[in-house]
Amino acid sequence: MERLGDLTTRMAKTEVAKDFASVCRFIAKGRADTEEELRHVSPRVQRIRKTAVAAGTLGGTTWGDDVSWQELTREWLTLLSSRTLLGKVPFRKGAVNTRTLLEDSPGSASWVAEGAGIPLSRLSLDVVQLLPSKIAGMCVFTTELMDTANPASLDAINRAMSNTIGRYSDQALVNPDIAAVAGKNPASLTNGAIQVASAGSAEAQVTANIKSLLQVHVDAGADLMDVYVCMHPNTALHLSQLLTAGNIRAYPNLGVRGGEIWGVPVVTSVGAVCSGSPTEKVIAAINTSGAIVADGDLEISASNRALVQMDDATTQNAATGTATDVVSLFQTGATAVKFIRGLTFARSHTNAVSYMRVTY
């Protein structure tokens, strides 16, 4: 039987997801909803709808001024983060365009007698500055879906948005093929980090590899209480089924949803993949004290009148005016919902992350 606290939490999360999808509908439809439809939305959504007069962005002068909308988007991002590495791993928090002071070694403290001198901490300090960057994308829905205010359509909108934003956010964090591009994006936490070569997928080989991943942090003098291992759910499934020579499960506390290996927490994400091959995945050991993340706000806008390039690798560029084939959303009865999420991160030092590429 479900506990009351768990039930209350689940209902609250469901309400946030439903409200967010409802607001996305209102943005797309330009508030053209019937009174019957409005009876089925929460008071918060009704307040947002009445306050807003234009497409919503947190940086704008209409939706952005509405406190209810800001609270809802932040609650939705919190809900999204609980399903992604950004929420599962306690990364060190940073702020955009603000210098973050880092200490690579602990300070000094000791017992002190009366009248004796107190030891001074001689820290090894470094500074990291996070530059602003953003992840953006568009999800296209049929007009029929947007016109339907039932739970199934709201769930479809919410799932499409959360899966799109969440999956790429995780991939941006741990895909070693993502290098820094000035003025566009930061390098992933694994890009340029210490790589361990995979010896194979058998139990003895996997065990040796994971030992090597963690040994990087041991050799660096890291506090292993700060280390988390990230991997794909398929990888975790493979590891959970491995047996030792004595026919005993090698990793009894590991499953598709994560767990632990030798007491080290393991989190899973479908974003733990490489871009070079659809079958190549990543196992990363991250010292969270050396990985700084600044997670920004979420902006939402929508249109059913625009011309868009139906391509997940668009060649459109406002600077060069590249010619492309486009589709009319009005003519095809479709609506595009665009999101922009502020997100940036940095690794304080090379030894903060170790990783390996695997095919299992």
Side-chain angles (χ1 to χ4, degrees):
M1 180 180 294
E2 189 172 17
R3 293 182 300 177
L4 179 59
D6 294 337
L7 175 62
T8 303
T9 301
R10 180 169 59 83
M11 291 179 65
K13 291 180 178 179
T14 301
E15 191 67 22
V16 169
K18 179 182 176 182
D19 286 355
F20 180 78
S22 295
V23 174
C24 287
R25 285 188 64 252
F26 289 142
I27 296 174
K29 289 167 61 59
R31 302 191 304 163
D33 290 273
T34 66
E35 291 302 318
E36 178 63 27
E37 289 175 322
L38 290 176
R39 291 194 187 99
H40 300 290
V41 299
S42 70
R44 173 167 60 177
V45 175
Q46 293 195 31
R47 286 197 304 271
I48 294 172
R49 177 184 177 276
K50 291 176 182 178
T51 303
V53 295
T57 68
L58 287 176
T61 57
T62 53
W63 289 75
D65 292 334
D66 183 64
V67 175
S68 296
W69 170 239
Q70 294 182 30
E71 290 177 349
L72 176 58
T73 54
R74 290 181 183 127
E75 287 178 20
W76 188 81
L77 279 176
T78 300
L79 177 60
L80 172 66
S81 294
S82 68
R83 303 174 52 193
T84 65
L85 298 180
L86 287 171
K88 295 178 181 179
V89 179
F91 293 107
R92 183 169 180 176
K93 301 299 182 183
V96 174
N97 284 331
T98 301
R99 296 183 181 276
T100 302
L101 192 62
L102 305 173
E103 64 277 358
D104 293 331
S105 60
S108 301
S110 67
W111 295 106
V112 179
E114 182 178 357
I118 298 175
L120 178 69
S121 295
R122 183 177 181 180
L123 301 178
S124 175
L125 301 175
D126 198 2
V127 172
V128 170
Q129 184 173 13
L130 300 177
L131 300 177
S133 57
K134 62 188 179 184
I135 290 175
M138 289 194 297
C139 296
V140 178
F141 305 96
T142 62
T143 301
E144 288 83 356
L145 180 67
M146 283 295 185
D147 285 342
T148 306
N150 59 40
S153 63
L154 295 177
D155 182 65
I157 294 169
N158 181 69
R159 283 181 178 273
M161 296 290 290
S162 61
N163 288 340
T164 302
I165 300 173
R167 180 171 300 195
Y168 188 76
S169 297
D170 281 359
Q171 189 174 354
L173 275 170
V174 298
N175 180 356
D177 297 325
I178 299 180
V181 178
K184 181 182 177 183
N185 65 273
S188 70
L189 296 179
T190 53
N191 183 264
I194 296 177
Q195 182 179 0
V196 173
S198 175
S201 59
E203 183 275 324
Q205 295 168 323
V206 171
T207 296
N209 282 152
I210 294 178
K211 285 181 178 179
S212 297
L213 282 176
L214 297 177
Q215 190 63 41
V216 170
H217 301 279
V218 173
D219 293 343
D223 183 349
L224 294 183
M225 295 291 288
D226 293 330
V227 175
Y228 281 69
V229 174
C230 307
M231 65 179 66
H232 195 280
N234 293 358
T235 304
L237 177 63
H238 174 79
L239 266 61
S240 69
Q241 297 172 336
L242 293 177
L243 302 178
T244 66
N247 209 32
I248 300 173
R249 288 182 60 192
Y251 310 105
N253 299 320
L254 183 64
V256 171
R257 289 178 173 82
E260 63 177 41
I261 295 178
W262 310 322
V264 178
V266 177
V267 295
T268 57
S269 169
V270 292
V273 294
C274 302
S275 55
S277 169
T279 61
E280 195 172 43
K281 302 175 180 67
V282 179
I283 301 178
I286 301 174
N287 179 359
T288 56
S289 66
I292 305 97
V293 174
D295 197 2
D297 290 324
L298 177 68
E299 300 178 5
I300 298 290
S301 57
S303 175
N304 56 9
R305 299 284 192 272
L307 297 174
V308 298
Q309 183 184 15
M310 293 291 193
D311 194 336
D312 60 1
T314 180
T315 58
Q316 297 222 43
N317 190 317
T320 59
T322 305
T324 58
D325 293 328
V326 293
V327 174
S328 167
L329 296 177
F330 175 76
Q331 186 175 18
T332 57
T335 298
V337 178
K338 181 176 69 175
F339 66 83
I340 300 176
R341 178 188 191 181
L343 178 65
T344 187
F345 39 79
R347 191 180 62 237
S348 63
H349 53 278
T350 302
N351 291 344
V353 178
S354 58
Y355 78 97
M356 65 178 175
R357 299 171 184 262
V358 299
T359 57
Y360 50 82

